[in-house]
Amino acid sequence: MKKVERINVIMRYINNRAHFTISEIMQEFNISRSTAIRDIREIEAMGMPLVAEVGRNGGYFVMNNSVLPTIRFTDDEIKALFIAFMATRNQQLPYLKIRQSLAEKLLGLISESQQDDLVFLNSILLFEGSNPNNPDLLELSDLPHPMLEKLIQTLLLDSHLLITTKVKKELKTYPIYLLHLYHEKGLWLLEGFDLKAEKRQFFPVDNLTEVKPYLPKKRLSRKKVLEKLSKQEKVINLVLELGPKAIAQFKKYHPLNISISYTNPYQTTAVLKTFIHVHHPEELTEITNWILFLGGDVKVKEMPKEVLEGLQKRLSLFCP
């Protein structure tokens, strides 16, 4: 049982009893004394009024048989939660169908006038990816790959994973240390450190066929993994200075592994430094398209000739 789930169950357990002891909690939930004490302290910090009794038969009781604290939302908090659900309902997020039941439970906690406000907002607000004729419609393209939820459940248990992925109709297995799980250009990607090849690897979640915890004899800590990766970092070969318009474009979209550093306190100028694999045609094409996407508010300080040639070739199509 996970910690959060266990604490919730313990809260319900003690709320229905006039008196309880640490030993009873230990026996009921099969946990150690230190864990029981730590959980009770967290429950007290959450607002449950517990009173400790000293003595041989001492223990705890809930003051005045109090009930669990009621969760109350302000009007603005309700709107923030509901709009967050609306904004992301047509995106490939895990547990997408469960979010509908969450929204229904949220509606059940609020007044009729608050419900009317949310119904009105639902009728006028449209977000990217929504069907304007039926905003609540979930299309097949909205649903994430079923392996995504299993991947999340597994990585919560351990960052060392054994994954099986389909590469050109062939199944391959990799032992990895998970670094990131991210969503980019409509795809979920897993970034991991290949424990066998000792290098960074990217795997589309759509290609995964199996995920399970990996139990190597010698485990690597995250610190050790990052140390190994830092020694493999490539020399920077692309340096750009960005003005305010280019920064605005950068915020709209940028590859995950590229970041900027602001060069003034008003965040109107920035510098971008990264490494481009010029011998990888797909990456070269993608970076060329992206630099054009940034627009004209860019100054080139350093750039591989392959990228420059790609830009010139693209521009020549428009300016023969």
Side-chain angles (χ1 to χ4, degrees):
M1 185 183 298
K2 296 180 181 179
K3 180 182 176 182
V4 174
E5 181 183 352
R6 185 182 68 242
I7 288 179
N8 286 332
V9 174
I10 293 176
M11 286 178 69
R12 290 194 291 270
Y13 174 86
I14 63 181
N15 192 65
N16 294 325
R17 284 160 176 76
H19 180 274
F20 68 95
T21 65
I22 295 292
S23 297
E24 289 172 350
I25 296 294
M26 292 167 58
Q27 183 175 358
E28 179 72 21
F29 299 98
N30 192 27
I31 56 178
S32 67
R33 182 177 182 82
S34 59
T35 299
I37 293 173
R38 187 165 56 248
D39 286 352
I40 290 172
R41 287 175 178 170
E42 288 196 28
I43 290 170
E44 287 181 299
M46 293 168 65
M48 178 170 275
L50 300 180
V51 178
E53 295 179 309
V54 296
R56 177 178 297 179
N57 298 318
Y60 293 83
F61 67 89
V62 183
M63 185 183 299
N64 298 326
N65 197 30
S66 299
V67 295
L68 295 175
T70 303
I71 297 176
R72 298 187 184 278
F73 297 101
T74 67
D75 283 348
D76 287 345
E77 287 172 338
I78 290 170
K79 292 182 179 68
L81 285 170
F82 193 74
I83 290 174
F85 280 158
M86 291 171 61
T88 55
R89 63 187 166 193
N90 297 105
Q91 296 184 18
Q92 292 183 339
L93 295 175
Y95 310 105
L96 196 59
K97 293 183 178 179
I98 295 175
R99 289 151 57 87
Q100 179 63 34
S101 64
L102 289 177
E104 291 172 357
K105 288 178 180 178
L106 176 63
L107 289 172
L109 293 173
I110 61 179
S111 67
E112 188 173 338
S113 63
Q114 289 173 320
Q115 291 180 19
D116 290 340
D117 288 343
L118 298 188
V119 170
F120 176 69
L121 286 175
N122 189 49
S123 67
I124 62 171
L125 292 178
L126 291 178
F127 297 90
E128 184 178 3
S130 298
N131 184 331
N133 298 317
N134 187 357
D136 294 321
L137 179 66
L138 276 181
E139 300 178 358
L140 291 177
S141 59
D142 298 328
L143 301 174
H145 193 281
M147 186 59 69
L148 180 61
E149 290 183 14
K150 181 177 181 180
L151 175 60
I152 292 175
Q153 292 168 356
T154 307
L155 67 86
L156 287 172
L157 299 174
D158 200 334
S159 292
H160 291 79
L161 304 176
L162 189 65
I163 64 170
T164 303
T165 183
K166 199 170 186 178
V167 182
K168 295 180 179 179
K169 298 183 179 181
E170 182 182 352
L171 294 179
K172 292 187 177 181
T173 302
Y174 298 87
I176 67 164
Y177 181 91
L178 186 131
L179 295 169
H180 295 104
L181 178 63
Y182 63 95
H183 190 259
E184 183 178 275
K185 294 189 294 186
L187 292 175
W188 280 96
L189 297 172
L190 185 158
E191 178 189 3
F193 178 74
D194 188 327
L195 295 167
K196 187 175 181 180
E198 293 201 344
K199 65 178 182 180
R200 192 190 306 265
Q201 294 264 49
F202 294 87
F203 305 93
V205 172
D206 286 1
N207 292 349
L208 297 182
T209 61
E210 184 59 53
V211 177
K212 57 185 178 182
Y214 176 58
L215 303 175
K217 294 180 180 178
K218 187 177 180 181
R219 299 176 71 84
L220 285 180
S221 66
R222 186 175 185 85
K223 181 180 178 181
K224 192 67 177 178
V225 168
L226 295 178
E227 284 178 359
K228 286 180 175 288
L229 286 173
S230 65
K231 294 177 182 178
Q232 301 173 8
E233 292 300 326
K234 307 298 182 182
V235 178
I236 289 172
N237 60 1
L238 177 66
V239 180
L240 305 176
E241 288 184 355
L242 279 58
K245 293 181 180 179
I247 291 173
Q249 289 294 93
F250 178 90
K251 290 179 178 179
K252 290 180 182 177
Y253 168 70
H254 60 273
L256 181 76
N257 60 337
I258 293 181
S259 60
I260 58 174
S261 300
Y262 292 106
T263 53
N264 71 13
Y266 303 104
Q267 299 187 353
T268 55
T269 59
V271 63
L272 181 155
K273 298 180 179 180
T274 190
F275 172 79
I276 305 300
H277 294 272
V278 296
H279 300 299
H280 294 183
E282 290 183 0
E283 182 175 345
L284 195 58
T285 300
E286 181 178 356
I287 202 68
T288 301
N289 293 338
W290 183 65
I291 293 174
L292 290 171
F293 168 79
L294 291 178
D297 199 12
V298 174
K299 291 182 180 178
V300 177
K301 292 298 180 180
E302 183 179 346
M303 178 180 286
K305 64 180 181 61
E306 290 85 354
V307 177
L308 181 59
E309 290 169 356
L311 289 170
Q312 292 172 339
K313 184 177 180 180
R314 289 292 302 277
L315 291 173
S316 68
L317 297 176
F318 301 98
C319 306

